[in-house]
Amino acid sequence: MERGATDWILTAMAALVFGYPFVMAWYWMVGGLLFYFTRQRGMAPPDRPEPMDHWPRISILVPCFNEGENAEETLETAAAVDYPEFEVIAINDGSRDNTAEVLDRLAGRIPKLRVVHLASNQGKATALNTGALLAKHELLVCIDGDALLDPHALRWIARAFRRGDVGGLAGNSRIRNRTSLLGRLQVGEFASIIGLIRRAQTMYGRLFTVSGVICAFRKRTLDEAGWWSPRTITDDIDITWRVQLAGWRVIYEPNAIVWILMPETLRGLWRQRLRWAEGGVQMMQEFFRPMITGRTPSLLPTYLNFLISIVWSYLVLFALGVGLLWAVGLGPPRPIPAFRLVPDWWGLTLTLTYLTQALLSHFLDTRYERRMLQSMFWVIWYPLAFWMLSATTAAAALPRVLLRPGTVRGTWVSPDRGLR
């Protein structure tokens, strides 16, 4: 191949490497602004949700696996929320620690709490299906066994389900462990990336995923969607797509707040993000046929965006490798400017774009955390720390999922809960 053609291909690849995050950042920012002006600006304060004539009854599902250290705080907080009528169902999924004893003790003193014990680890999806089938009420709120539900979250969730076409809801996860650099970085990530993306996707019509740590569904919706699949790697991604393919809307409700624990070690963070990436790749496989047959055309842009992100991940690693070779003098004598480790004006453009995105996101999230700007110092390191993590986990996830036996049941592995 002639040098001119090679240079053109490399330049096009570099344009995708730097252009994709640039375009997506503005796509998210526009969506976030639309969400603010059409929905958030006129909302009541988070701790004073507007009243309703009738508050629907709610069942809170709390699947637990090895949650002996966290279950008491989580369930006591859930049982104390400000809501007229609800129940709490804790599902012990074959825990190997003292979770069973803790749950039984709590059931004796918390009237709203019911406890279900599964004999062995069947996976989070099976635990959720068990709790949903036993639930007395139509509206189901699902939280993790280490999550602290905000006192007003249920009222905001109930209000969101007033719309008859809403079948699922993603809540607002806030980081509560901030003792390390990784913890502080994730505070910025959840505000400047995840929250903004979900606002934008709500405005554009389709969510990629709810958050498994806080989500809500109608029981009828789950029945039509086929319930949670025990074969999935990430139950939250899978059920989000199932619900939307069944014809229901899934939206983001930022006032439905839950406080969560996140990994604060590199190993724990890698394992978590690799699992997330594997769940996305599995979604790409499972829902390929509905996408190409046009079953739900409005989901196609979200699906294609994920495919592009996989290609982008491999190109990022390729670009990094080429840049390192040229930096140490092992590459061709005439490098393509875009593949230098310091990518000239593209690097500055991305930096300024991301800072704009972070400022906008922090402005939107000061409603929920007044001192969000204090994390801005840590946010500026996000591209270096987390874009590379996203690229490497996505690149590693693709072959792992493609080579994974399709009959394997997804069971629990206790995650890194930070430095306690």
Side-chain angles (χ1 to χ4, degrees), residues 147-158:
L148 302 183
L149 198 60
D150 182 83
H152 309 284
L154 294 191
R155 291 185 181 270
W156 285 106
I157 290 171

PDB file of all heavy atoms in Angstrom, residues 147-158:
ATOM      1  N   ALA A 147     -26.657  -0.445  49.841  1.00  0.00           N
ATOM      2  CA  ALA A 147     -27.084   0.892  49.427  1.00  0.00           C
ATOM      3  C   ALA A 147     -27.989   1.525  50.480  1.00  0.00           C
ATOM      4  O   ALA A 147     -28.771   0.846  51.133  1.00  0.00           O
ATOM      5  CB  ALA A 147     -27.823   0.811  48.093  1.00  0.00           C
ATOM      6  N   LEU A 148     -27.878   2.847  50.621  1.00  0.00           N
ATOM      7  CA  LEU A 148     -28.689   3.605  51.580  1.00  0.00           C
ATOM      8  C   LEU A 148     -29.685   4.469  50.811  1.00  0.00           C
ATOM      9  O   LEU A 148     -29.298   5.418  50.121  1.00  0.00           O
ATOM     10  CB  LEU A 148     -27.798   4.470  52.477  1.00  0.00           C
ATOM     11  CG  LEU A 148     -26.727   3.731  53.282  1.00  0.00           C
ATOM     12  CD1 LEU A 148     -25.967   4.712  54.172  1.00  0.00           C
ATOM     13  CD2 LEU A 148     -27.342   2.605  54.117  1.00  0.00           C
ATOM     14  N   LEU A 149     -30.949   4.135  50.936  1.00  0.00           N
ATOM     15  CA  LEU A 149     -32.004   4.817  50.195  1.00  0.00           C
ATOM     16  C   LEU A 149     -32.309   6.164  50.831  1.00  0.00           C
ATOM     17  O   LEU A 149     -32.454   6.277  52.054  1.00  0.00           O
ATOM     18  CB  LEU A 149     -33.251   3.939  50.191  1.00  0.00           C
ATOM     19  CG  LEU A 149     -34.342   4.207  49.157  1.00  0.00           C
ATOM     20  CD1 LEU A 149     -33.793   4.072  47.741  1.00  0.00           C
ATOM     21  CD2 LEU A 149     -35.497   3.232  49.369  1.00  0.00           C
ATOM     22  N   ASP A 150     -32.414   7.194  49.998  1.00  0.00           N
ATOM     23  CA  ASP A 150     -32.779   8.523  50.481  1.00  0.00           C
ATOM     24  C   ASP A 150     -34.203   8.497  51.035  1.00  0.00           C
ATOM     25  O   ASP A 150     -35.076   7.806  50.489  1.00  0.00           O
ATOM     26  CB  ASP A 150     -32.675   9.534  49.338  1.00  0.00           C
ATOM     27  CG  ASP A 150     -32.987  10.942  49.783  1.00  0.00           C
ATOM     28  OD1 ASP A 150     -32.089  11.610  50.314  1.00  0.00           O
ATOM     29  OD2 ASP A 150     -34.155  11.370  49.596  1.00  0.00           O
ATOM     30  N   PRO A 151     -34.473   9.246  52.111  1.00  0.00           N
ATOM     31  CA  PRO A 151     -35.815   9.202  52.720  1.00  0.00           C
ATOM     32  C   PRO A 151     -36.951   9.559  51.778  1.00  0.00           C
ATOM     33  O   PRO A 151     -38.087   9.120  51.973  1.00  0.00           O
ATOM     34  CB  PRO A 151     -35.707  10.219  53.868  1.00  0.00           C
ATOM     35  CG  PRO A 151     -34.252  10.282  54.194  1.00  0.00           C
ATOM     36  CD  PRO A 151     -33.542  10.071  52.891  1.00  0.00           C
ATOM     37  N   HIS A 152     -36.675  10.382  50.745  1.00  0.00           N
ATOM     38  CA  HIS A 152     -37.741  10.853  49.864  1.00  0.00           C
ATOM     39  C   HIS A 152     -37.752  10.145  48.513  1.00  0.00           C
ATOM     40  O   HIS A 152     -38.549  10.500  47.640  1.00  0.00           O
ATOM     41  CB  HIS A 152     -37.598  12.360  49.640  1.00  0.00           C
ATOM     42  CG  HIS A 152     -37.456  13.143  50.908  1.00  0.00           C
ATOM     43  ND1 HIS A 152     -38.518  13.408  51.746  1.00  0.00           N
ATOM     44  CD2 HIS A 152     -36.363  13.696  51.504  1.00  0.00           C
ATOM     45  CE1 HIS A 152     -38.098  14.096  52.794  1.00  0.00           C
ATOM     46  NE2 HIS A 152     -36.791  14.285  52.679  1.00  0.00           N
ATOM     47  N   ALA A 153     -36.886   9.143  48.332  1.00  0.00           N
ATOM     48  CA  ALA A 153     -36.730   8.510  47.018  1.00  0.00           C
ATOM     49  C   ALA A 153     -38.017   7.873  46.517  1.00  0.00           C
ATOM     50  O   ALA A 153     -38.369   7.992  45.335  1.00  0.00           O
ATOM     51  CB  ALA A 153     -35.606   7.478  47.072  1.00  0.00           C
ATOM     52  N   LEU A 154     -38.753   7.194  47.400  1.00  0.00           N
ATOM     53  CA  LEU A 154     -39.957   6.495  46.944  1.00  0.00           C
ATOM     54  C   LEU A 154     -41.020   7.452  46.429  1.00  0.00           C
ATOM     55  O   LEU A 154     -41.753   7.129  45.487  1.00  0.00           O
ATOM     56  CB  LEU A 154     -40.533   5.636  48.070  1.00  0.00           C
ATOM     57  CG  LEU A 154     -39.696   4.452  48.560  1.00  0.00           C
ATOM     58  CD1 LEU A 154     -40.539   3.565  49.475  1.00  0.00           C
ATOM     59  CD2 LEU A 154     -39.106   3.652  47.426  1.00  0.00           C
ATOM     60  N   ARG A 155     -41.139   8.611  47.045  1.00  0.00           N
ATOM     61  CA  ARG A 155     -42.143   9.575  46.568  1.00  0.00           C
ATOM     62  C   ARG A 155     -41.803  10.059  45.151  1.00  0.00           C
ATOM     63  O   ARG A 155     -42.694  10.212  44.303  1.00  0.00           O
ATOM     64  CB  ARG A 155     -42.237  10.756  47.539  1.00  0.00           C
ATOM     65  CG  ARG A 155     -42.847  10.357  48.895  1.00  0.00           C
ATOM     66  CD  ARG A 155     -43.043  11.567  49.792  1.00  0.00           C
ATOM     67  NE  ARG A 155     -43.590  11.197  51.089  1.00  0.00           N
ATOM     68  CZ  ARG A 155     -44.891  11.124  51.375  1.00  0.00           C
ATOM     69  NH1 ARG A 155     -45.795  11.390  50.426  1.00  0.00           N
ATOM     70  NH2 ARG A 155     -45.295  10.793  52.583  1.00  0.00           N
ATOM     71  N   TRP A 156     -40.514  10.299  44.892  1.00  0.00           N
ATOM     72  CA  TRP A 156     -40.126  10.730  43.551  1.00  0.00           C
ATOM     73  C   TRP A 156     -40.334   9.609  42.540  1.00  0.00           C
ATOM     74  O   TRP A 156     -40.741   9.846  41.398  1.00  0.00           O
ATOM     75  CB  TRP A 156     -38.674  11.191  43.555  1.00  0.00           C
ATOM     76  CG  TRP A 156     -38.469  12.535  44.182  1.00  0.00           C
ATOM     77  CD1 TRP A 156     -37.931  12.803  45.403  1.00  0.00           C
ATOM     78  CD2 TRP A 156     -38.821  13.801  43.611  1.00  0.00           C
ATOM     79  NE1 TRP A 156     -37.922  14.163  45.638  1.00  0.00           N
ATOM     80  CE2 TRP A 156     -38.453  14.798  44.554  1.00  0.00           C
ATOM     81  CE3 TRP A 156     -39.397  14.203  42.408  1.00  0.00           C
ATOM     82  CZ2 TRP A 156     -38.649  16.153  44.320  1.00  0.00           C
ATOM     83  CZ3 TRP A 156     -39.592  15.552  42.167  1.00  0.00           C
ATOM     84  CH2 TRP A 156     -39.217  16.513  43.121  1.00  0.00           C
ATOM     85  N   ILE A 157     -40.057   8.385  42.942  1.00  0.00           N
ATOM     86  CA  ILE A 157     -40.268   7.250  42.047  1.00  0.00           C
ATOM     87  C   ILE A 157     -41.754   7.089  41.727  1.00  0.00           C
ATOM     88  O   ILE A 157     -42.136   6.896  40.567  1.00  0.00           O
ATOM     89  CB  ILE A 157     -39.699   5.959  42.677  1.00  0.00           C
ATOM     90  CG1 ILE A 157     -38.168   6.020  42.696  1.00  0.00           C
ATOM     91  CG2 ILE A 157     -40.174   4.724  41.921  1.00  0.00           C
ATOM     92  CD1 ILE A 157     -37.510   4.904  43.479  1.00  0.00           C
ATOM     93  N   ALA A 158     -42.601   7.182  42.740  1.00  0.00           N
ATOM     94  CA  ALA A 158     -44.044   7.059  42.518  1.00  0.00           C
ATOM     95  C   ALA A 158     -44.547   8.139  41.565  1.00  0.00           C
ATOM     96  O   ALA A 158     -45.391   7.875  40.689  1.00  0.00           O
ATOM     97  CB  ALA A 158     -44.780   7.129  43.849  1.00  0.00           C
TER      98      ALA A 158
END
